[in-house]
Amino acid sequence: MTKQINMDQQLVYRFGGGWADGSQEMKNLLGGKGANLAEMAGHPELQLPVPPGFTITTDTCNAYYEAGRHFPAKLEDEVMAALERIEELTGKTYGNVNTPLLLSVRSGARQSMPGMMDTVLNLGLNDETVQGLIAQTNDPRFAYDAYRRLIMMYADVVMEKAAGIPPVQGKGIRKLLDEHLESIKKARGFQLDTELTEADLRQIVIDFKAIVKREIGEPFPEDPMAQLWGGIGAVFDSWNGKRAKEYRRIEGLPDEWGTAVNVQAMVFGNMGKDCATGVAFTRNPGTGEHKFYGEFLFNAQGEDVVAGIRTPQPINEASKNSQSENLQTLEEVMPEIYAQLNNYQQQLEAHYKDMQDLEFTIEKGKLYILQTRTGKRNGTAAVRMAAEMYQEGMIDGPTALMRVNPNQLTELLLPRLDAMAERAATPIAKGLPAGPGGAMGKAVFSSEKAVELRQAGENVILVREETSPEDVDGMYHAAAVLTAKGGMTSHAALVTRGWGKCCIVGCNGLDINEAEGYFTTPDGTKVKEGDYISLNGATGKVYLGSMPVVDVDLADNEAYQTLMGLVDETKVLGVRANAESPADAANALRFGAEGVGLFRTEHMFYGKGSEKPLYLLRKMILSANRKERRAALKELFGYIKSDIKKTLAVMNGKPATIRLLDPPLHEFVPHDRQRLEELAEELAVDVSILEKRVLALHENNPMLGHRGVRLGISYPEITETQVRAILEAAAELNMEGRQALPEIMIPVTCSRNELQDQEKIVKCIYKEVCASLGVDEIPYLFGTMIETPRAALRSGPMAEIAQFFSFGTNDLTQMSFGFSRDDIGGFLPIYLEKGILVNDPFQVLDRRGVGELVRLAVERGRAQRPGLKTGICGEHGGEPQSVAFCHRIGLDYVSCSPFRVPIARLAAAQAAIQHPRQ
Amino acid sequence: MTKQINMDQQLVYRFGGGWADGSQEMKNLLGGKGANLAEMAGHPELQLPVPPGFTITTDTCNAYYEAGRHFPAKLEDEVMAALERIEELTGKTYGNVNTPLLLSVRSGARQSMPGMMDTVLNLGLNDETVQGLIAQTNDPRFAYDAYRRLIMMYADVVMEKAAGIPPVQGKGIRKLLDEHLESIKKARGFQLDTELTEADLRQIVIDFKAIVKREIGEPFPEDPMAQLWGGIGAVFDSWNGKRAKEYRRIEGLPDEWGTAVNVQAMVFGNMGKDCATGVAFTRNPGTGEHKFYGEFLFNAQGEDVVAGIRTPQPINEASKNSQSENLQTLEEVMPEIYAQLNNYQQQLEAHYKDMQDLEFTIEKGKLYILQTRTGKRNGTAAVRMAAEMYQEGMIDGPTALMRVNPNQLTELLLPRLDAMAERAATPIAKGLPAGPGGAMGKAVFSSEKAVELRQAGENVILVREETSPEDVDGMYHAAAVLTAKGGMTSHAALVTRGWGKCCIVGCNGLDINEAEGYFTTPDGTKVKEGDYISLNGATGKVYLGSMPVVDVDLADNEAYQTLMGLVDETKVLGVRANAESPADAANALRFGAEGVGLFRTEHMFYGKGSEKPLYLLRKMILSANRKERRAALKELFGYIKSDIKKTLAVMNGKPATIRLLDPPLHEFVPHDRQRLEELAEELAVDVSILEKRVLALHENNPMLGHRGVRLGISYPEITETQVRAILEAAAELNMEGRQALPEIMIPVTCSRNELQDQEKIVKCIYKEVCASLGVDEIPYLFGTMIETPRAALRSGPMAEIAQFFSFGTNDLTQMSFGFSRDDIGGFLPIYLEKGILVNDPFQVLDRRGVGELVRLAVERGRAQRPGLKTGICGEHGGEPQSVAFCHRIGLDYVSCSPFRVPIARLAAAQAAIQHPRQ
């Protein structure tokens, strides 16, 4: 990061009038918005009508912070020169009483952070220039409205927030001014702002200034230059505002980027009926369909569209939805302007070769393009656009693959409401389908409550009038978001789209009483906080009660199939699934898994149908001696074998790694007195004896205790039983004409000798099973988890015996950091907040520490045994960054939950594009 | 290990008659005993009168096992040839009826394993050759006694043990034969074996053979060749006997060594009054004094001396003790023989340049040397001999240093009975002072009980009639051993001497009733199992009750001072001590520590005088918010500062590493209801609130939880308070004219960012303290523990900030292996038993795994910061093998408990000799 400014460094880049000294390649320096404004204005293929302006670089922002929030000395000259150029192009002069130029000041980071930073519009207005504006526009009402908007924003953004003073009266100046506005409307008996007269607005300007002076202790600055510098400083300051920092943390964006500032001549969509403002996408961002899509409002400022206060009109037929189907389209009302806009959007998509999200304003019949950027899209749309653009020949295969964020696939795989259940139910409300998938959860009305209940393990749906950046945390924790107001481009829609989260917006009839904790729907249903509701994010329908949520079928999704076809041609890394049942295994195959990477034998003792095996396991665990233990294992054998056999049968021809019993035995014994008494009765022993045995199993640090291979070494009969079950199951399947490929995996090892001990047992049982079933051979592999740091270090000797390594990166992370995953709640949030860790290492593999152990183990293992098979089966196996790392260090495969297999596959393909293996 | 035998490989080496084809250099092949027999017989400087014989190599033993306990084919020819040579030299013939040669067969591993393997004597006797022996010796009583001894040993060692059949009648054939012998004596009214007549013995031979036939189902073999091969096989088999394996495990000897077999012509010390047998040491093995020392018995076999059945006679004045002061010496009775023996011992010590332990037999006035080996000695003796031999010019400094096993120093440092307390008490019994130091504990009468009570945390003293190899486990677990029988060369004395353990033997009047669990002393005191007794291992006095045990003063020990002088000239590695109080620190200095390597700040909250600080700490921990916490810390500050200041004052001019608070806070809160209620009252909060806070602190795996630097990051005020205390204490001491060198150490780190976070606090407090005390600087270092594997891997970046690393090898071991030290009880014993681990990695640093992390961290840390100071402060810092490793990888120092400082220093000197640093 350049933090010091050189004397010859350009701090300000200009654009407009068919020219610019910046371009889209300069995103890091000019921010996304600034770079695109320069590109649109200056690129010979485009030269679109962009209001002239200039961009102050991100380097300037960093220098500003480095200097303790002071502007670099040479900034002023460059800003003044750039301002003069705007004045030349517009024929207006900033601060001039007769031809006043009005400016906007907006943030613009390298990557869009919607609504997270501040903006000030209408800069340049004061008691004198407002007269000039009236003279220019002949619209005093408009001029005073613009003036009162400036005061409101400026007081909020510059005078209160950027100055860092506490919110006045505890609620902030903006709310205070809003309340005053509302009180005037109430006094006049008005509903809408637009009903306010020129006189009202003139008075409001006077009132606002008085309130600002009284509450903040400083007057609103009349000096236009003071306003401009105040605005620029406020944008810089908002880079480190609470909301922006929170957003960067969630999105994993670095603090060092800084923001650019875009200063631009104002154009107005709210100067009358021949004015409008809108937002459009070159393709449908919700479905990916190749149709121009957008919404606009007549006589409005851009923020009105995004804020969702009025229902916007569709720009064309393709943009109509259930709410707007009866509204007039821009195409109908202003056909020439629409044709021009449509022409521009085609130019833009062809130029950028990606879907563009653009903002436009029509000022007195003249179209301006205010912004273009690569449009956010949900997963469904991302996949469709990538596949179709590839098929259209606009982009090549690798580009198509890189266009989809692997995590976005979640959406396509997202559970949906059960169709049968949905058909049987009547929706209580209907809104706009802003986010994909289906969801159910308890209704909550505040961000705080959403976080609280979620952390208590509840599924929640956040229900809000409309959402604002303050709600981000709650939205993040909620399973879905439901808003009463807002359109498809509202805050709620944008944010949830980015996350691939179920969302319904603009659910008009919803009457939310946050204070008393309920909402009512148009049909009179009353839903209290904590009541379950279900949402269909694809149709916008809201149901009362908790509805079953089911998986989707990808077979019909042509775009998905096209994309995954490219994935399979491209990727090198194998992708397996963690699966412990025939259903899981079938699911895994459906999602494209190439094998089972982790079958946990202990799984059969959990959940439905586990009563009898669990009872036998407990009997085994609480045995007094080896003889009793052998007897219990003998009874258990059939269950274990049948469990394994069923999954091996499904995987027919594909390998399945079966991990021998791992958890400390203590996990399986009942801990409450009653269950223990029952067990004692069943086992016909005194409960006090059982209590003693349970107590003897207790450990201070069970994660580092008597588990994994340590069980197999202490109780060889446990290994024997499991190995016999695996080999018999495999041999029988082979005899039945199927192909079983079991891989026997020893957990929690730390030395070669442990493997040698267990290998002896396996070889011995192998001979016995071959003999007893009369077969010559049973194909199998013998290998180990690498999940202790020592195992990673000693992987050379271990590979003398192990034919494969599977990295258990969960445990490896626990032991490398010394973090108990169950106990990190006490400090990890602070670590993330302070930036001591960038990611939760249990979510994203720590490449520098844990990753080094993995890399080193692969290297040493392969040096010992060149054909050593390596994979990972920790939860990182389905996390794209971690998958990319696994590709880079040359693992053979990753294994993850079936549901994440497509994500891992795409991530693997992207890794292969970015890091081709030799 | 050579396990396969080549055709040209020599399996048998011969000695005797002033010649040998082996030598002392061939210990690995011939075992210690065999190599020394060859040396004594064949080396031109010696050519001592050794009974002729031959040695079968250890390779043969390994080949025997490799072949499933079958002798290599070519062994027979070599044995027969060697046997012929013995026959030539002795003029007797093995198995010949007229001039029968008798043979002994003994084990002989690379290192002596006293009593752990088997021996058979008098081989070659049968119903015919016994007549020849009678004719040769004219002593039928002797001949039949030899014959019955052979049957007894052979039945036990060859027919029962080596054959692997269960002990007959559950007690074993030897015991059965013994009982028969006793019954005959009883019937005759005899006390001693020697009272048995020729006729008795002849009958006993007949009876023995019948009993053997009946109980074992096979006859005693009359064929001398069958006897010889049976004996050889039995010795090989005894290498893997239970006792031998157990001993090797405790001593850390490899199974792969194998044992040699020594076959030798019998000479008899029990052929009459002109016969004798004895054991002697070239210097006193208990004190190290340079005087020939030994014991012997007239008319006895060698085993009689070691078994301690009769009280042996001293060989000279210098060998007299309280029991033998009135007995005649060998010097008095056989002056020529003594002179000859004395001459030989001088030759042997001069030749081997070390103290020799030799066995001799006098057969009808002719002296034979049966064995020589480097004599075992206790620590006191080892130090004295090393120092004196160095001063005598016999050995050089490095040799002197290598002569003392660092662990043996324990003895010199061993606590002794408090002299005042001892003077005030009257001994209840007195025995021979066989092992050094003082000890107190509960009297127990069986090995099993000793193990059981010790594992329950009790201090025990094992009291036995005499000890045998079956008692080894109990002896190991006992604080001391007390036996009623046996001399200074008895089993108990030999074994405890090797361990440097307190031991009193031959405590004659002791009447032990094992069955009823008590013993009585000559003065009528009755001591029941579980009663406390105290032993003075230096005087042999036994006291009733538990007597205080105190430290010793090394200042007076000239030999120790000489040796440690050599140590300090030689070693490179620094040695510090772990100390948390002025007393500890003073002790550390006394033992030669060069600084404090670990001062645990939490120590002040444990033990005596900790009530008030602990109360304040609890108040801090259970604070509701930062404000309350700061208030509690403010109160605590004075205690912390004074605690640290006292130790820094003692260390004046030497560095002291102070570790900030490490344990999870949960460790400090009261867990029982009553204490909690008291605390709630003191703190004036509801107990239910406290309970909630305590509950919130609970962790599943506290070892991997909210501890170490994680506390300092979550609660910066804790770091602030401690750092302020350290810096103020140091600054004040410096102002008082002392020199405080504190090193602030951050525990349980895993990343550079953690250190950066804490460093900021330290720097900030540093400025404040300098300002408030008006000083310009306070010398200190800032560094970190390296105790998570990730910290070791990321040591490069960490060294950007840390000025020193101190390896916390306890935690590093826990996390590398995934072994919770508190929970290894469930599996570690099995790991050691099965040989999966050679050592407990918490006792001996795992050089291959954990050690690699240490090595790598040093390398990476130094690459980043060339002057980086490195040390270890885990418990391995006082373990010789681990210290040697620390030297090799170039650490600056080790730190251990004050008591182990001399051990670490000597180990460091030895490491410097064996691995000179460049």
Side-chain angles (χ1 to χ4, degrees), chain B residues 732-769:
Chain B
E732 288 174 7
L733 285 168
N734 293 343
M735 289 192 287
E736 292 162 17
R738 303 205 183 208
Q739 196 190 356
L741 296 173
E743 302 177 337
I744 299 171
M745 180 159 76
I746 309 296
V748 203
T749 51
C750 60
S751 76
R752 177 190 174 285
N753 291 356
E754 291 169 323
L755 282 182
Q756 196 174 33
D757 179 282
Q758 298 288 292
E759 190 199 31
K760 263 188 208 158
I761 299 176
V762 172
K763 285 191 169 168
C764 169
I765 300 291
Y766 178 82
K767 275 185 203 161
E768 283 180 28
V769 174

Side-chain angles (χ1 to χ4, degrees), chain B residues 7 145 228 238 343 391 399 402 514 705 744 800 831:
Chain B
M7 281 312 293
D145 189 46
L228 178 60
S238 69
N343 192 27
Q391 285 167 328
T399 306
M402 295 309 296
E514 188 186 331
I744 299 171
E800 288 171 23
Y831 269 54

Side-chain angles (χ1 to χ4, degrees), chain B residues 573-578 597-598 745 785-786 805-810 812 845 854 858 869-879 882-883 885-887 889 891-896:
Chain B
L573 192 67
V575 177
R576 296 192 188 187
N578 301 346
L598 181 63
M745 180 159 76
M785 295 274 277
I786 300 282
F805 285 172
S806 178
F807 292 92
T809 49
N810 299 343
L812 203 54
L845 186 69
V854 175
V858 171
K869 211 164 167 180
T870 56
I872 85 165
C873 61
E875 285 177 23
H876 302 104
E879 192 283 316
S882 312
V883 171
F885 177 77
C886 293
H887 168 84
I889 62 167
L891 293 193
D892 294 307
Y893 68 87
V894 296
S895 186
C896 55

Side-chain angles (χ1 to χ4, degrees), chain B residues 230-427:
Chain B
I232 293 170
V235 171
F236 280 162
D237 288 339
S238 69
W239 173 253
N240 276 332
K242 190 167 175 292
R243 280 169 6 209
K245 278 161 76 176
E246 174 80 354
Y247 183 88
R248 288 203 295 275
R249 191 176 69 68
I250 291 174
E251 296 282 324
L253 307 182
D255 290 343
E256 296 81 6
W257 278 0
T259 183
V261 178
N262 297 293
V263 178
Q264 204 173 4
M266 286 295 302
V267 289
F268 293 96
N270 58 341
M271 266 190 191
K273 300 233 147 64
D274 56 350
C275 297
T277 190
V279 174
F281 299 87
T282 58
R283 301 188 186 211
N284 187 311
T287 64
E289 202 181 3
H290 191 170
K291 287 192 177 154
F292 187 36
Y293 178 91
E295 297 171 332
F296 76 103
L297 285 168
F298 280 115
N299 199 12
Q301 285 208 354
E303 54 177 0
D304 301 336
V305 184
V306 177
I309 293 161
R310 283 194 270 157
T311 301
Q313 290 171 246
I315 55 166
N316 53 17
E317 280 301 311
S319 305
K320 284 188 170 175
N321 61 35
S322 58
Q323 282 188 346
S324 62
E325 55 196 347
N326 299 320
L327 301 178
Q328 274 194 305
T329 66
L330 183 66
E331 194 173 8
E332 288 164 355
V333 182
M334 297 181 165
E336 295 83 14
I337 296 271
Y338 176 78
Q340 209 178 345
L341 180 64
N342 191 32
N343 192 27
Y344 292 159
Q345 69 94 3
Q346 283 170 7
Q347 270 180 273
L348 282 167
E349 186 176 285
H351 181 72
Y352 284 101
K353 298 191 193 315
D354 200 355
M355 187 269 273
Q356 295 298 299
D357 163 357
L358 44 116
E359 288 178 20
F360 61 92
T361 285
I362 302 163
E363 186 186 82
K364 302 220 169 264
K366 174 160 171 45
L367 174 66
Y368 291 94
I369 306 296
L370 301 187
Q371 170 169 312
T372 191
R373 57 184 172 185
T374 296
K376 291 207 174 189
R377 60 206 79 178
N378 64 24
T380 310
V383 170
R384 181 162 174 182
M385 287 179 196
E388 291 184 357
M389 287 182 186
Y390 167 72
Q391 285 167 328
E392 291 160 17
M394 183 187 279
I395 56 178
D396 62 8
T399 306
L401 288 173
M402 295 309 296
R403 281 283 165 84
V404 182
N405 176 337
N407 282 324
Q408 282 189 311
L409 287 184
T410 316
E411 261 174 58
L412 280 79
L413 317 169
L414 267 186
R416 307 219 164 148
L417 293 184
D418 177 56
M420 294 282 282
E422 205 180 344
R423 259 202 298 280
T426 310

